[in-house]
């Protein structure tokens, strides 16, 4: 039995390869993700080991504001602490250092140099005794001198001797670049970070907000004193006002942060793997179904000569197992390649200069590759296997008439499963699942897809018939249309592969499009500002501008009102909250949709704040209530609620509005938004030109009208869209494989028919056209299904998020049109090989073979 | 019943308008060197227009090969094949396809209908492919001949074997081809259905002047023809005009030294 199975496997190599490719791709992404993470992780470990080589113990302050976004930056230690540290026995050396992210260098092109994630550090120059190595020039000695690391110098296009602008806690200041340095191990950067080094007092002033404080005290242990021992001694001596950690602990913490950043890539790859494998399941299911259908006689013969049902199931599953193992092995190999390639890209293109001694292939990559690959293949083959076992022995003896089994059971199952999936999805969207929300959503989508896939055969016949009408003018077109409607299950499953990918993509598109549309509507109808100063969102620190711009803008003729908005995180009644400080709340209410429901928004004296109605209700606050507020600087202060407002849940003004004075104690005392209202009849473009001039030293932000503001703020979706396009490419690749596979098998199955058609006068080109029409009908059907399901899915999500400000449901018609056109091209492309095969059918053999 | 001749027949009618198809010294050789097998060894035969010709011979005699060559389905190694006034030998695929489409009709042992089309669509398929409009009267007549009036909207799977073969016959007849080649048309039918099919093949020849060439190993089927050409070992060995089943059987028996029962083997 086993030998017969393997033999039949060998005779259908191509088909199996085609159906296995989806598994190969899926496994490739899975193992690629593991290899990438492991390789980069290992190289980062070795990197941070060298970075912290000179640090035995470090003492740092506890941040006054914590629990929100990671904000260690505002934690400082006083200079006096160094003396206390030195007094502890076992301390060989203690150095105060400044090292904080948020130093943005303006490059030679006048633009701020960005990174794709790593920090932009501003540090105090502590000499080359640590891991820094001067490459050219000298260390900074004066207040207006800086040194930068080599990768930043290269990215900014600056050289020793250049005058360089740097944005810090303070607006742009200009320095002379006196030195360029690298790091031990001849590195240009530590994991992609930029570093600007000032002399100590300047670093303290610009990065920490005042002199006399440090980010941390770095301690070197006396010979023979273990870092752990020293840490415990320091802890005991300094009390719990400070965090004391060993270099090893810092190293682990840094690695943890790095791994977290990597997990994004990991999730993207795993997402791709999920799509590939899910769609691949359809492909394998289809291939095995067709193979079983084609081999009915052979299977019946086996049954007739005594093979049991279990042996039949076994024989199909053994086939699947072999394919699964082979595909897993191939996928693992490809995955190692992909992982290595991405690691290489990450190192060189990402400019991270990570040391990369070797490609790490963790056991988890191998295990998951084979587990996932074989399991998916086996599961997909289960149904066809059961079907094979159901072939009655008598089928060997009679003429095989392909039984057109009714679709009722399938349809009922489809409705049921779709309903279950929809319910899970609904539950997840309603936010009822708690911790299970994410699994509920994902599971809901997958189960819904499976249910819809089961429904597709039912839909296939009418839709395909209608679609095919487009091609019915010519005989080959009509034949192609009839062929595609001939086996609704096969057509449906093939189309389902395309559906899944397109539905996911369309769904995300709909959500993004709706987000943009809702934002646009909101800005258009609610925001009354004529000009808005803002920066593109994203990056390690929010874009800000010089507060002096606000005052100067007020002087410009034609400007009626100007409001500046500052943002930060603060502890309010002991919990982290996003807070906003505005220069003129009354003016803001005239430009943004803020309405007082209690108290007043007309004035906001020092020591007062305004809170939105939702938070006020949560905390039981009313006008006149007091709250404890702790900002990044200064102690806890008590503030009085001056007014409660509603902002219709749409605008992203934080829940707490503080007077402008409070901004001085924000971590960054610079505004991130500016709103301007002009006098009637003022020349907008003229005013804009003047504001532009004011912003010359604030290159992170631009001024524009509402349209420009909308475009800028929605540009953050571009990354997601790029990701989605990649996913689309993958989904299409797999769909093409599916169509090629189905058609190739159909051509084989219909050799006799093709022979007859050719015998009675069908030209080769007509035969090819016939196959092409079949392919295009299938792919367009899949695309339509995908667009419909995706739109439905996206619209559901948007509706569920209405409270979050998604007011409009918008369909990306243009993109959907593109996808449909793409489907036609994909179908035609997929038809190429099978069509050539069909055209090459030897007429004589086709009709003469018995 | 007329006598048999052993020489190559048909050589007498060169440029005769009464010839629908003609093979001139046709050789068909498979393989090369030691493994060379000649399926046809210099066959020359004229197939008269408006006549019902049967080609007979034992299994392996080359009768199917001859038909495939005559119909432009297979190429000849040497010699010439004409259909009407067209020299088939040497035509490219496109022209061959066109020739088959416009001048030739086929009836197969396996019916070979398209399962997705109705009986009527199957019948009209060659005309649709050629982009020709069916002649309504002739179509009605053909349907009447084969007796399919009430089955036109059925699909092949809903028809019996005999009915399917009648659809195939109608498909061949409706385009009024120069010549219809029938390859064992009754091979898959019971004797009653077979007799019906042969009956209206003969009727289409007698009443409408259709040319039909039929390959068969069944003496009974051959007896419906006007003329029987006997093949053995790739050569024309004998010929009968207005044959009876007994005469055919008799001639078959004398064809070669092998057992006469060869005609009972299945396949061609």
């Amino acid at each position: 039995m086993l030998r017969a199975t393997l033999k039949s496997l060998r005779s259908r190599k191509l088909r199996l390869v085609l159906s296995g490719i989806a598994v190969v791709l899926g496994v490739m992404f899975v193992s690629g993700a593991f290899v990438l993470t492991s390789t980069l992780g290992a190289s980062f470990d070795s990197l941070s080991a060298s970075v912290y080589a000179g640090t035995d113990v470090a003492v740092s302050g506890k941040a006054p504001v914590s629990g929100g976004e990671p904000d260690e930056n505002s934690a400082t230690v006083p200079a006096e602490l160094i003396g206390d540290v030195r007094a502890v026995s076992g301390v060989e050396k203690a150095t105060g250092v400044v090292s904080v992210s948020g130093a943005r260098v303006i490059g030679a092109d006048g633009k701020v140099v960005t990174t794709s994630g790593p920090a932009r550090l501003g540090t105090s120059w502590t000499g080359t005794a640590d891991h820094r190595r001067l490459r050219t020039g000298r260390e900074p000695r004066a207040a207006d001198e800086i040194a930068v690391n080599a990768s930043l110098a290269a990215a900014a296009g600056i050289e020793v001797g250049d005058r360089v602008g740097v944005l810090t806690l303070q607006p742009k200041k200009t320095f002379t670049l006196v030195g360029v340095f690298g790091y031990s191990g001849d590195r240009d950067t530590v994991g992609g970070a930029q570093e600007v080094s000032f002399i100590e007092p300047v670093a303290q002033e610009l990065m920490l907000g005042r002199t006399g404080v440090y980010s941390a005290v770095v301690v070197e242990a006396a010979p023979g004193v273990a870092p752990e021992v020293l840490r415990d001694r320091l802890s005991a001596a300094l009390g719990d006002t400070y965090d004391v950690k060993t270099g090893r602990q810092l190293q682990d913490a840094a690695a943890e942060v790095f791994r977290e950043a990597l997990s994004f890539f990991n999730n993207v790859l795993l997402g791709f793997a999920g799509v590939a494998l899910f769609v691949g399941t359809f492909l394998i299911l289809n291939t095995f179904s067709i193979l079983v259908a084609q081999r009915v006689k052979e299977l019946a013969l086996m049954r007739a000569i005594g093979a049991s049902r279990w042996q039949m199931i076994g024989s199909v599953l053994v086939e699947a197992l072999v394919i699964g193992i082979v595909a897993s092995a191939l996928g693992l190999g490809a995955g190692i390649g992909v992982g290595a390639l991405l690691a290489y890209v990450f190192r060189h293109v990402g400019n991270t200069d990570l040391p990369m001694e070797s490609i790490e292939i963790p056991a988890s990559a191998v295990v998951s590759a084979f587990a996932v690959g074989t399991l998916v293949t086996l599961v997909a083959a289960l149904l066809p296997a059961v079907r094979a076992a159901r072939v009655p022995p008598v089928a060997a003896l009679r003429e095989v008439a392909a039984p057109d089994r009714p679709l009722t059971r399938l349809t009922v199952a489809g409705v049921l499963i779709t309903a279950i999936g929809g319910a899970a999805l609904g539950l997840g969207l309603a936010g009822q699942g708690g911790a299970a929300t994410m699994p509920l959503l994902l599971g809901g989508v997958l189960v819904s897809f499976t249910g819809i896939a089961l429904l597709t055969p039912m839909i296939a016949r009418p839709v395909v018939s209608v679609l095919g009408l487009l091609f019915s003018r010519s005989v080959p077109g009509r034949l192609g249309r009839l062929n595609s409607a001939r086996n609704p299950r096969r057509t449906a499953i093939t189309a389902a592969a395309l559906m899944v990918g397109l539905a996911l993509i369309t769904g995300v598109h709909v959500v993004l499009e709706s987000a943009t549309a809702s934002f646009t509507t909101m800005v258009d109808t609610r925001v009354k500002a004529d000009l808005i100063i803002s920066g593109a969102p994203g990056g390690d620190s929010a874009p800000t501008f010089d507060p002096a711009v606000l005052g100067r803008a007020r002087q410009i003729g034609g400007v009626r009102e100007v409001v500046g908005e500052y943002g930060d995180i603060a502890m309010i009644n002991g919990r982290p909250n996003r807070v906003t400080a505005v220069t003129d709340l009354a003016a803001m209410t005239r430009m943004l949709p803020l309405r007082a429901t209690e108290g007043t928004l007309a004035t906001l004296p020092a020591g007062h704040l305004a809170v939105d109605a939702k938070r006020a209700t949560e905390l039981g606050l009313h006008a006149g209530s007091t709250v404890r507020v702790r900002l990044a600087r200064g102690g806890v202060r008590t503030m009085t609620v001056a007014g409660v407002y509603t902002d219709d849940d749409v605008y992203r003004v934080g829940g707490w509005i503080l007077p402008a004075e409070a901004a001085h104690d924000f971590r960054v005392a610079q505004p991130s938004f500016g709103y301007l209202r002009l006098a009637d009849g003022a020349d907008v473009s003229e005013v804009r030109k003047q504001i532009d001039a004011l912003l010359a030293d604030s290159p992170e932000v631009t001024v524009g009208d509402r349209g420009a503001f909308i475009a800028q703020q929605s540009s953050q979706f571009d990354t997601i869209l790029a990701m989605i396009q990649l996913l689309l490419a993958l989904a299409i690749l797999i769909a093409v494989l599916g169509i090629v596979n189905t058609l190739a098998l159909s051509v084989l199955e219909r050799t006799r028919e093709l022979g007859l058609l050719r015998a009675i006068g069908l030209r080769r080109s007509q035969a090819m056209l016939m196959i092409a029409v079949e392919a295009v009908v299938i792919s367009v059907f899949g695309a339509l299904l995908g667009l419909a399901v995706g739109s439905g899915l996206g619209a559901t999500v948007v509706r569920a998020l209405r409270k979050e400000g998604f007011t409009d449901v918008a369909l990306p018609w243009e993109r959907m049109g593109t996808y449909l056109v793409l489907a036609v091209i994909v179908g035609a492309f997929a038809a190429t090989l099978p069509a050539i095969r069909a055209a090459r059918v030897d007429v004589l053999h086709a009709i003469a073979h018995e | 019943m007329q006598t048999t001749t052993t020489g190559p027949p048909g050589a007498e009618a060169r440029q005769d308008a009464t010839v629908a198809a003609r093979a001139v010294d046709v050789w068909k050789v498979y393989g090369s060197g030691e493994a060379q097998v000649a399926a046809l060894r210099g066959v020359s035969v004229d197939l008269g227009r408006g006549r019902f010709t049967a080609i007979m011979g034992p299994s392996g005699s080359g009768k199917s090969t001859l038909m495939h060559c005559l119909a432009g389905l297979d190429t000849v190694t040497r010699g010439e094949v004409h259909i009407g006034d067209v020299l088939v030998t040497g035509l490219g695929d496109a022209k061959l396809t066109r020739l088959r489409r416009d001048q030739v009709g086929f009836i197969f042992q396996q019916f070979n209908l398209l399962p997705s089309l109705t009986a009527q669509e199957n019948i009209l398929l060659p005309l649709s492919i050629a982009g020709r409009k069916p002649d309504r009267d002739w179509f009605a007549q053909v349907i009447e001949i084969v007796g399919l009036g009430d089955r036109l909207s059925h699909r092949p799977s809903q028809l019996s074997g005999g009915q399917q073969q009648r659809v195939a016959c109608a498909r061949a007849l409706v385009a009024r081809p120069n010549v219809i080649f029938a390859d064992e048309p009754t091979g898959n039918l019971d004797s009653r259905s077979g007799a019906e099919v042969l009956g209206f093949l003969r009727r289409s020849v007698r009443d409408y002047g259709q040319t039909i060439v039929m390959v068969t190993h069944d003496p009974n089927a051959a007896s419906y023809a006007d003329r029987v050409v006997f093949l053995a070992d790739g050569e024309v060995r004998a010929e009968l005009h207005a044959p009876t089943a007994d005469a055919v059987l008799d001639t078959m028996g004398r064809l070669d030294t092998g057992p006469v029962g060869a005609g009972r083997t299945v396949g061609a």
Side-chain angles (χ1 to χ4, degrees):
Chain A
M1 195 70 197
L2 185 66
R3 189 166 338 145
T5 303
L6 293 179
K7 211 159 188 173
S8 75
L9 252 176
R10 268 210 302 279
S11 62
R12 292 187 305 275
K13 268 174 287 190
L14 180 71
R15 255 162 286 168
L16 299 174
V17 165
L18 277 174
S19 55
I21 285 181
V23 177
V24 172
L25 284 174
V27 170
M28 179 182 88
F29 285 115
V30 172
S31 50
F34 280 105
V35 169
L36 175 72
T37 319
S38 177
T39 301
L40 289 183
S43 70
F44 189 81
D45 283 347
S46 88
L47 171 77
S48 61
S50 75
V51 168
Y52 290 103
T55 305
D56 289 326
V57 180
V59 182
S60 58
K62 282 185 176 157
V65 175
S66 64
E69 284 152 47
D71 210 349
E72 302 287 322
N73 291 334
S74 45
T76 54
V77 296
E80 305 84 70
L81 186 72
I82 298 177
D84 300 344
V85 169
R86 286 196 182 125
V88 175
S89 80
V91 171
E92 175 84 11
K93 201 171 136 195
T95 320
V97 296
V98 177
S99 178
V100 181
S101 78
R104 292 98 75 203
V105 168
I106 299 168
D109 59 357
K111 289 194 178 117
V112 171
V113 185
T114 56
T115 65
S116 52
R120 293 180 279 188
L121 296 171
T123 61
S124 55
W125 183 261
T126 49
T128 54
D130 55 16
H131 62 290
R132 291 195 194 88
R133 305 280 180 268
L134 259 181
R135 294 254 178 96
T136 50
R138 57 173 176 81
E139 75 280 7
R141 287 174 198 151
D144 70 338
E145 291 178 350
I146 52 165
V148 301
N149 69 4
S151 78
L152 174 54
I158 50 178
E159 289 170 6
V160 169
D162 287 353
R163 298 284 288 168
V164 179
V166 183
L167 307 174
T168 56
L169 293 181
Q170 294 184 17
K172 178 180 157 185
K173 285 210 177 328
T174 308
F175 299 86
T176 306
L177 180 64
V178 295
V180 173
F181 58 89
Y183 303 90
S184 56
D186 202 27
R187 283 184 203 110
D188 290 347
T189 168
V190 176
Q194 300 176 0
E195 183 174 352
V196 186
S197 252
F198 310 90
I199 59 165
E200 190 176 278
V202 174
Q204 289 169 331
E205 178 74 35
L206 295 186
M207 302 311 302
L208 299 174
R210 61 191 160 108
T211 51
V213 294
Y214 294 100
S215 309
V217 177
V218 172
V219 182
E220 213 174 290
V225 180
E228 287 73 20
V229 174
L230 188 57
R231 175 194 60 195
D232 295 346
R233 278 189 210 161
L234 281 165
S235 270
L238 302 174
D240 62 357
T241 328
Y242 300 104
D243 273 331
V244 187
K245 287 191 173 121
T246 61
R248 179 80 226 171
Q249 283 176 307
L250 292 174
Q251 193 180 315
D252 291 347
E256 190 49 45
V257 169
F258 181 73
R259 270 180 223 283
E260 215 138 274
L262 258 188
S263 75
F264 171 71
F265 286 95
N266 225 357
N267 289 340
V268 168
L269 286 176
L270 289 178
F272 281 19
V275 170
L277 289 171
F278 186 62
V279 176
T281 312
F282 287 88
L283 223 64
I284 294 167
L285 177 83
N286 209 18
T287 307
F288 273 96
S289 300
I290 299 175
L291 290 181
V292 166
Q294 283 178 341
R295 282 161 61 204
V296 165
K297 271 213 155 145
E298 188 186 321
L299 294 169
L301 186 70
M302 293 242 200
R303 292 275 283 133
I305 62 174
S308 75
R309 289 203 162 177
W310 283 110
Q311 279 176 308
M312 306 307 296
I313 292 181
S315 90
V316 175
L317 288 187
V318 165
E319 275 198 44
L321 190 68
V322 172
I323 295 173
I325 290 173
V326 172
S328 301
L330 290 176
L332 177 62
I336 292 169
V338 164
L341 182 77
L342 286 178
Y344 180 88
V345 167
F346 196 84
R347 182 185 178 189
H348 292 276
V349 182
N351 210 13
T352 49
D353 207 12
L354 284 176
M356 209 155 301
E357 281 89 23
S358 64
I359 297 300
E360 301 278 323
I361 302 165
S364 57
V366 180
V367 172
S368 62
F370 280 97
V372 163
T374 31
L375 204 69
V376 162
T377 319
L378 278 181
V379 166
L382 202 59
L383 214 66
V386 170
R387 207 172 293 152
R390 288 226 189 101
V391 171
V394 70
L397 306 173
R398 60 167 190 236
E399 199 51 41
V400 195
D404 226 4
R405 280 168 300 143
L407 299 168
T408 331
R409 266 172 57 190
L410 207 62
T411 308
V412 170
V415 169
L416 220 64
I417 293 176
T418 312
I420 293 171
L425 201 59
L427 219 59
L429 283 175
Q432 301 298 310
T437 301
M438 223 30 221
L440 265 178
L441 286 178
L442 275 177
V445 169
L446 285 188
V447 173
S448 307
F449 277 157
T450 312
I452 293 165
L454 289 179
L455 285 175
T456 39
M458 178 76 171
I459 316 165
R461 218 192 278 266
V463 175
V464 162
S465 290
V466 171
L467 269 181
L469 285 179
L470 296 172
F471 304 100
S472 285
R473 298 258 306 276
S474 70
V475 176
R478 225 161 60 83
L479 289 174
R481 168 199 162 205
L482 283 172
N483 281 341
S484 51
R486 199 142 129 189
N487 194 331
R489 284 162 207 264
R490 197 182 290 181
T491 302
I493 296 184
T494 311
L498 188 59
M499 175 207 54
V500 171
L502 261 184
L504 283 175
I505 293 155
T506 310
V508 176
H509 262 311
V510 169
V511 173
L512 294 184
E513 189 86 1
S514 302
T516 310
S518 308
F519 186 67
T520 306
T521 312
M522 186 271 292
V523 172
D524 275 348
T525 59
R526 305 297 183 85
V527 176
K528 300 283 186 285
D530 296 306
L531 287 172
I532 299 171
I533 302 171
S534 62
D540 61 331
S541 59
T544 52
F545 59 95
D546 187 345
V549 169
L550 296 170
R552 285 190 209 126
R554 269 184 208 106
Q555 311 299 317
I556 294 172
V559 174
R560 186 187 285 175
E561 287 180 311
V562 179
V563 179
E565 182 188 325
Y566 302 70
D568 201 2
I569 310 268
M571 302 299 274
I572 293 185
N573 285 350
R575 318 191 71 146
N577 271 273
R578 184 158 279 287
V579 294
T580 299
V582 298
T583 53
D584 184 347
L585 184 57
M588 190 167 217
T589 57
R590 288 190 284 274
M591 289 191 256
L592 295 179
L594 303 177
R595 273 195 338 272
T597 57
E598 236 184 273
T600 177
L601 299 180
T603 55
L604 197 58
H608 287 70
L609 51 72
V611 59
D612 82 338
K614 203 170 123 205
R615 286 172 182 78
T617 315
E618 268 169 27
L619 298 174
L621 298 177
H622 297 282
S625 313
T626 55
V627 286
R628 282 172 294 113
V629 178
R630 177 162 194 177
L631 301 177
R633 274 176 257 286
V636 176
R637 63 198 84 186
T638 303
M639 298 182 86
T640 310
V641 175
V644 178
Y645 69 89
T646 98
D647 57 3
D648 298 329
D649 291 322
V650 284
Y651 203 65
R652 96 241 85 79
V653 172
W656 305 88
I657 302 180
L658 277 50
E661 294 77 22
H664 296 305
D665 289 327
F666 279 14
R667 201 181 76 74
V668 180
Q670 296 181 65
S672 23
F673 293 95
Y675 304 93
L676 289 88
R677 211 151 66 93
L678 306 189
D680 297 333
D683 183 348
V684 178
S685 66
E686 181 52 39
V687 173
R688 189 178 158 172
K689 229 178 273 167
Q690 296 187 47
I691 307 262
D692 257 336
L694 294 180
L695 291 172
D697 282 347
S698 304
E700 284 184 310
V701 296
T702 53
V703 61
D705 56 14
R706 288 193 293 264
F709 177 65
I710 290 165
Q712 183 192 49
Q713 298 297 310
S714 39
S715 68
Q716 54 183 314
F717 298 140
D718 292 353
T719 327
I720 308 177
L721 281 180
M723 237 20 130
I724 290 296
Q725 305 300 338
L726 271 180
L727 191 67
L728 176 71
L730 176 73
I732 284 183
L733 176 67
I734 295 177
V736 166
L737 289 174
I739 297 172
V740 170
N741 207 10
T742 303
L743 286 183
L745 289 168
S746 298
V747 166
L748 207 70
E749 217 173 42
R750 300 182 201 138
T751 305
R752 182 177 278 277
E753 272 174 61
L754 279 162
L756 165 85
L757 284 166
R758 296 272 292 125
I760 62 173
L762 196 74
R763 287 195 310 271
R764 281 202 167 135
S765 55
Q766 288 177 309
M768 291 174 82
L769 180 65
M770 181 175 89
I771 304 292
V773 165
E774 185 175 353
V776 169
V777 167
I778 293 177
S779 66
V780 169
F781 173 56
L784 282 178
L785 220 55
L787 292 177
V789 172
S791 302
L793 203 65
T796 314
V797 172
V798 171
R799 285 287 310 271
L801 292 178
R802 192 148 50 171
K803 285 237 172 79
E804 313 295 320
F806 280 75
T807 47
D808 300 22
V809 176
L811 297 184
W813 291 112
E814 211 173 293
R815 291 220 184 248
M816 287 163 75
T818 316
Y819 292 157
L820 211 55
V821 173
L822 210 59
V824 174
I825 298 169
V826 161
F829 177 72
T832 323
L833 272 178
I836 289 174
R837 208 163 172 183
R840 286 221 186 114
V841 160
D842 183 329
V843 181
L844 196 57
H845 272 96
I847 52 174
H849 88 278
E850 320 243 317
Chain B
M1 169 186 160
Q2 299 194 347
T3 48
T4 60
T5 51
T6 44
E12 69 274 7
R14 275 279 153 236
Q15 289 302 321
D16 199 337
T18 62
V19 174
R22 161 186 295 156
V24 183
D25 190 26
V26 165
W27 287 72
K28 181 70 188 178
V29 181
Y30 294 103
S32 58
E34 290 284 304
Q36 212 170 50
V37 178
L40 297 176
R41 305 158 176 271
V43 173
S44 294
V45 60
D46 279 5
L47 303 164
R49 188 176 299 282
R51 304 257 286 167
F52 189 175
T53 309
I55 299 176
M56 282 209 73
S59 179
S61 63
K63 58 185 190 300
S64 283
T65 308
L66 176 62
M67 193 207 84
H68 292 149
C69 290
L70 281 169
L73 288 174
D74 206 351
T75 55
V76 301
T77 312
R78 216 170 80 200
E80 284 179 0
V81 172
H82 301 258
I83 290 179
D85 50 6
V86 180
L87 175 62
V88 175
T89 315
L91 287 184
D93 180 77
K95 285 194 171 150
L96 267 181
T97 304
R98 214 188 145 87
L99 179 84
R100 287 198 302 262
R101 198 181 76 188
D102 298 339
Q103 310 246 18
V104 180
F106 289 101
I107 301 169
F108 301 99
Q109 182 176 359
Q110 245 80 15
F111 322 143
N112 277 335
L113 301 177
L114 290 198
S116 50
L117 300 181
T118 63
Q120 173 159 358
E121 286 169 328
N122 264 295
I123 293 169
L124 292 175
L125 188 60
L127 292 177
S128 318
I129 289 175
R132 275 155 58 192
K133 281 244 177 309
D135 175 339
R136 295 219 152 270
D137 293 343
W138 176 235
F139 176 72
Q141 224 155 2
V142 168
I143 296 307
E144 193 268 322
I145 299 172
V146 298
L148 275 171
D150 53 342
R151 289 277 186 276
L152 284 180
S153 58
H154 289 51
R155 286 179 201 282
S157 57
Q158 298 164 307
L159 298 174
S160 72
Q163 287 166 335
Q164 288 189 51
Q165 192 62 308
R166 281 192 262 163
V167 171
C169 290
R171 179 178 68 195
L173 286 170
V174 80
R176 294 210 224 221
N178 214 325
V179 49
I180 291 176
F181 292 99
D183 189 0
E184 305 270 10
T186 57
N188 266 4
L189 299 180
D190 61 74
S191 54
R192 220 189 89 220
S193 305
E196 275 171 15
V197 165
L198 289 165
F200 56 69
L201 284 185
R202 183 159 67 182
R203 197 177 147 202
S204 66
V205 173
R206 296 266 159 87
D207 298 357
Y208 304 104
Q210 179 64 53
T211 309
I212 295 179
V213 178
M214 173 176 72
V215 166
T216 183
H217 62 259
D218 176 6
N220 203 31
S223 70
Y224 281 79
D226 300 320
R227 169 191 176 207
V228 185
V229 176
F230 291 90
L231 251 64
D233 292 334
E235 292 171 356
V236 176
R237 288 285 174 78
E239 191 173 340
L240 273 178
H241 287 271
T244 63
D246 287 340
V248 173
L249 204 54
D250 192 38
T251 311
M252 284 285 283
R254 284 187 278 119
L255 273 184
D256 50 22
T257 50
V260 179
R264 294 284 153 220
T265 8
V266 178

